[in-house]
Amino acid sequence: MHIKLIPTLGLMLPLFTAVAQANVEKTIFLAPIPAIVPSEQPDLDDLGLERLSPQKPVVRTQLNASFPTAAAPYGIDSWFFLENLNPGQRYEVRVCWLATQPTTFTLTTYPLSKTIEDKNLLSSLSMYTAARLAAADTIQENVIPHSANARGGKDVLDPVPTSDSVLFLHVHAAADYFSTDQALMQNVPPVAVDLILDPFLFNVFPRSLVPTAGWIVLVAVLAAVLGRWIVKEVGRAVDDARRQSVLEEMKKK
């Protein structure tokens, strides 16, 4: 009677599963020491970049993509700003997108000084921000706001340089599909993505995986308990069969 619980448990387990219909790419890094963020014009507030921080760890947006070319082997560039990081703490940034939009993403983080000193990075960043600012009506609330001077104000919002642990996030998006639809081959549609900033607990384990780890531990404990119960029941059944066999042999004698 107890053995019938096993098929029932087998039927219940799928109820606790979920279907994954998305792809994930990520980069892992250590937050740098605080750097001086200048407030002179042009400053970071004028870049129009979407930003991620421990207080706002998720950005849902659309990224332009293209097929790899000799000039752009990794696709189209996008830039984001990571701020208010905890110096020395390990983080990861994940980009999640639908599996129905096959895309290859490459994520790289750069400190403020490296981005400014490298001409190629600075050129890519400048071109991206210029394109975003030209389409200012599409910029969402999570974008770094312009400074007062940029809006024609009399005072500067942040007249003094500030110190913060910040990084630039450089994202490449390359289309990774082939279609008989010529329109899709000539014009790659934007890719809907979620960008997620995830800190590591004790620099060894992503915080977002704590619930998953808890479920794994719970399942492991339940499996151990169930396994011991099954072994005990099977042993009891074997012993009962053995005693029954001995009793039958004694009756025959």
Side-chain angles (χ1 to χ4, degrees):
M1 187 173 188
H2 294 288
I3 303 299
K4 294 181 179 180
L5 290 175
I6 298 176
T8 303
L9 183 61
L11 293 175
M12 293 176 61
L13 286 178
L15 298 178
F16 297 94
T17 63
V19 179
Q21 297 180 343
N23 295 324
V24 178
E25 186 60 64
K26 65 181 179 180
T27 181
I28 299 174
F29 58 90
L30 287 175
I33 61 175
I36 299 299
V37 181
S39 60
E40 292 82 3
Q41 299 296 326
D43 62 19
L44 296 176
D45 286 346
D46 293 320
L47 296 180
L49 298 181
E50 291 187 283
R51 55 186 177 180
L52 293 94
S53 68
Q55 294 74 34
K56 294 182 179 179
V58 179
V59 167
R60 175 163 292 183
T61 186
Q62 290 188 333
L63 299 183
N64 292 326
S66 67
F67 287 102
T69 62
Y74 300 106
I76 293 182
D77 296 359
S78 297
W79 288 84
F80 298 85
F81 192 65
L82 310 180
E83 63 179 357
N84 298 331
L85 303 176
N86 184 22
Q89 183 171 7
R90 191 178 302 275
Y91 292 85
E92 73 174 24
V93 173
R94 298 190 300 273
V95 57
C96 306
W97 71 100
L98 293 176
T100 54
Q101 294 184 288
T103 310
T104 299
F105 286 95
T106 304
L107 285 73
T108 312
T109 56
Y110 294 103
L112 184 62
S113 58
K114 171 68 174 178
T115 308
I116 295 176
E117 294 170 0
D118 191 302
K119 293 182 179 179
N120 293 329
L121 294 179
L122 187 58
S123 175
S124 173
L125 176 60
S126 299
M127 293 176 61
Y128 178 77
T129 58
R132 281 188 61 83
L133 293 176
D137 57 329
T138 63
I139 298 179
Q140 303 174 356
E141 294 180 357
N142 195 39
V143 174
I144 297 179
H146 294 290
S147 64
N149 278 357
R151 295 194 302 267
K154 297 180 179 180
D155 299 322
V156 177
L157 291 179
D158 185 15
V160 180
T162 60
S163 179
D164 191 11
S165 179
V166 298
L167 287 170
F168 283 106
L169 174 64
H170 193 192
V171 181
H172 293 89
D176 190 18
Y177 64 84
F178 177 81
S179 174
T180 56
D181 188 338
Q182 291 301 316
L184 284 177
M185 296 301 294
Q186 295 176 2
N187 299 295
V188 178
V191 184
V193 302
D194 282 343
L195 282 164
I196 303 170
L197 176 66
D198 194 8
F200 277 54
L201 292 179
F202 307 108
N203 280 3
V204 295
F205 198 75
R207 187 172 63 185
S208 63
L209 293 182
V210 171
T212 302
W215 276 107
I216 292 175
V217 172
L218 179 60
V219 170
V221 172
L222 290 177
V225 173
L226 183 61
R228 292 182 61 182
W229 176 81
I230 292 175
V231 170
K232 183 178 179 180
E233 291 297 316
V234 170
R236 181 181 302 174
V238 171
D239 291 340
D240 290 344
R242 184 179 301 167
R243 284 195 295 268
Q244 186 65 28
S245 177
V246 172
L247 290 176
E248 290 180 356
E249 290 180 0
M250 291 179 63
K251 289 181 179 180
K252 291 179 179 179
K253 293 180 179 180

